[in-house]
Each structure stands twice: as C-alpha cells, then as structure tokens.
Amino acid sequence: MNRMLKATAVATLCCTAAAGLGYIGVAQAKGDGGLGVRDAASAAWTTRTVHAADRADAFVGEKKINVGGHAVNVSCEGRQSRRGPVVVLVAGLGDGLDKMADLQKTLSKKNRVCSYDRLGEGKSDKPEGPQSMADTGRVLTGVINRVAGDSPVVLAGHSLGGLIAARYAPDHRDKVKGLVLLDATSSTTSADVTRAIPESATGDAGDLRAQTVAVMQGQNPENLVVPDGRVRSAGWIPTQVIRHGQPYLSEFPTYGPQLEADWTKGQYAWAAVSGRATVHKAEGSGHYIYVDRKDIAVKSIQRVAAQVTQRNGGWWGHAGR
C-alpha cells in the first residue's frame, strides 16, 4: 500500500510523528493515575509541591525551567494583558515545541503564548521510567504556574496534546478557562483500533494495530502510558473541538472506513468536556490542522481567548462554572 498513507495512519492513531518507531513490544507499565513502575529516587520528584506564583515569569524566548527536579524546555512570546489569558500550546506525541513555533508566533500578536517540551520530547529531560497521565499533568502544572501565575489559561492541544489538555482541565478548573482541541487523540483509541482491526490481521493492518497498542501502553519517546477513559466535564468553559477535514483514514485498506468513523465519533465525544463546546471540521486539513489550515487554528484559539477575556472581566469569570 501507499507508504505515505500508512505513515499518516500511524501518526494519527498512534498520536505520534515518529511513525518509524515500529512495534518493539508491549510496555510493562500499567495504570491510569499512579506513578507507574520506577524506583523510589526517580519517583520522588512527583511528590514535590509546585506552588503557583503570584506573578508569572514574563520572559520572552526559550529557556529551561525546573519542574520537580527536571529541566523542562519552555518558549514564550507576546505580552500579557491585564484580564486576558495565557495561551499554552500542547504538542502531539513525538513533537517538540518547535513544531508549533509558527502558530505561537502568529498568536503572540494578540496574546501571550507559551509552549513546552514534555519530558522525553525536544530539549526537556528524559523520564527515568514509565510515566502516567498524572505524571505528565504535574509537569504541565509546573509550566502553567511559571508562565501564567494567577492569570487564566487557555490550553490548545494537538493530537495527544489535545487528549492531555482535555483530561487535565476537569481537575484544574481554577486555572484552565478555555480549551481548543486540534484533532485530539480519541479517549478510546485503543479500544477503537483493536475493535476495528482484528487480532488476526496481518500485513500493514496488523502492524498498525500492534503499533497503536504499543504506543498507547508506553512504547513512545515519553514512556507515557495512555489508557482509554471516559470524557469528564470541565464545566462551562469555552471550548472548540476541531477535527480534520480530509477523511484519509478511510483510504486505509479494508479497515479504513471504520477507523475514520471511530475517529470522527471520538472528536464529537470530546464535546462533553464542556457545556459550551462546539465541534468544527477543518476543510482541506489532514491531522496537522495548525499546519494545513493554520488560519482555522488561529481563529479558533483567538476566539476562545477572547471569550475567556470577556468572562474574566465579569462576575462569572470568578464563578467557577
């Protein structure tokens, strides 16, 4: 089959740009919120409390900050307005912050925008062992505390970054006041793929199934275990869910139509994250919406940021809805 099509399917379903990782076995780490399998010394950083600063670090450019004893690479641009949010970009698995640099530069004309490399990505430290979603959430908390202080935050995540943002927001309603999910990895990716492609499948389909299982169980640059889970509500925060417009997954032999249908269903499922969520299709876009249709990504993020600014100036900006 077309090599580019296979790579694109892997990149989408496995939520990673590193399609060449291949299937190298199933990770041994398990769990949804624990620390995973690691020794006491390497686990200690996750128990350290990171206190929110009264004032954000207003640096511009790229620098490494300390989060629980780990160096995390962060980049920020733009000026912070008095009532406006800080936009935090969350890249997909296999991508560093440089992948979203052009988007960040454009958005910085109207908002303060920051991005970061998760542990195992870009210039940040490597994780010592398997990471859970709780682990990667603690890193995000450290970044937000440093770059936003007591300002509201809009999380804009692509692919796995969208899944991380959507799972993070319900537990951090005090900080996260808006969401933009750009073709976010489905909350039921493992179940969808293993249901659509039978265990008996061989060839490219069998490889795709095996790679997806491996990546979601921790065989990825971040050693991050990504279990399936239900979509939880973050309240009534402004939320834009943007799905790809080119149904390229349908072109995958035999199983493509079901894969595309499940992916689309997963995008609509993310709307349950907020009572103010809307779902849109980025016409002419593949998985990398912010590259293929940068205009749509920019307008969506700016729209949510403007709504957060408006809410932050009124009584319901502090109502915790």
Side-chain angles (χ1 to χ4, degrees):
M1 66 176 291
N2 183 291
R3 182 175 298 179
M4 181 60 70
L5 174 59
K6 179 183 177 183
T8 303
V10 172
T12 303
L13 298 174
C14 295
C15 48
T16 175
L21 280 174
Y23 177 56
I24 53 178
V26 177
Q28 296 300 311
K30 297 181 180 179
D32 188 23
L35 296 177
V37 182
R38 60 175 77 188
D39 58 61
S42 62
W45 76 276
T46 61
T47 64
R48 301 173 189 172
T49 302
V50 182
H51 297 285
D54 292 331
R55 295 182 180 179
D57 187 338
F59 74 93
V60 172
E62 192 171 318
K63 67 184 294 185
K64 290 186 177 181
I65 66 172
N66 184 291
V67 179
H70 288 70
V72 177
N73 193 45
V74 180
S75 172
C76 291
E77 295 182 67
R79 297 180 60 183
Q80 175 63 30
S81 63
R82 187 167 66 90
R83 292 180 176 174
V86 174
V87 176
V88 177
L89 304 178
V90 190
L93 188 65
D95 291 332
L97 60 80
D98 58 318
K99 183 74 175 182
M100 306 186 92
D102 187 53
L103 176 64
Q104 176 171 301
K105 185 175 182 63
T106 300
L107 290 169
S108 69
K109 296 175 183 177
K110 292 188 176 182
N111 297 96
R112 179 159 175 78
V113 188
C114 298
S115 55
Y116 72 109
D117 291 329
R118 294 190 296 276
L119 297 186
E121 306 287 6
K123 299 177 183 177
S124 290
D125 283 351
K126 306 296 182 184
E128 292 95 345
Q131 293 194 92
S132 69
M133 293 298 292
D135 294 332
T136 201
R138 277 185 277 267
V139 173
L140 179 53
T141 294
V143 171
I144 287 175
N145 287 345
R146 182 68 173 269
V147 304
D150 57 2
S151 296
V153 169
V154 169
L155 291 180
H158 168 250
S159 196
L160 181 70
L163 182 150
I164 289 172
R167 287 192 177 174
Y168 182 87
D171 295 325
H172 299 84
R173 300 189 190 191
D174 59 323
K175 295 295 296 181
V176 180
K177 300 301 181 180
L179 279 174
V180 179
L181 308 181
L182 301 168
D183 223 29
T185 299
S186 169
S187 64
T188 55
T189 292
S190 294
D192 292 344
V193 173
T194 54
R195 181 176 57 249
I197 304 176
E199 190 173 3
S200 59
T202 58
D204 291 327
D207 289 344
L208 178 60
R209 186 185 198 275
Q211 286 180 11
T212 300
V213 170
V215 168
M216 301 303 275
Q217 291 189 349
Q219 295 286 339
N220 58 66
E222 302 175 36
N223 292 342
L224 179 61
V225 180
V226 188
D228 286 352
R230 64 185 179 86
V231 177
R232 296 183 298 125
S233 175
W236 287 77
I237 62 175
T239 298
Q240 297 270 301
V241 180
I242 315 297
R243 64 186 182 92
H244 64 246
Q246 296 176 348
Y248 53 84
L249 289 174
S250 295
E251 300 176 24
F252 199 90
T254 308
Y255 308 105
Q258 187 61 53
L259 292 173
E260 185 69 46
D262 287 341
W263 185 266
T264 300
K265 182 179 178 181
Q267 299 307 295
Y268 281 98
W270 279 126
V273 77
S274 170
R276 297 187 66 197
T278 56
V279 182
H280 305 276
K281 181 167 69 173
E283 296 289 353
S285 172
H287 185 50
Y288 279 84
I289 294 171
Y290 64 91
V291 175
D292 298 338
R293 291 299 309 271
K294 176 183 166 184
D295 58 321
I296 292 177
V298 169
K299 288 179 181 177
S300 297
I301 295 170
Q302 288 178 339
R303 184 180 300 115
V304 169
Q307 291 173 325
V308 171
T309 300
Q310 184 178 19
R311 294 182 72 183
N312 199 37
W315 69 270
W316 61 331
H318 306 283
R321 292 187 67 187

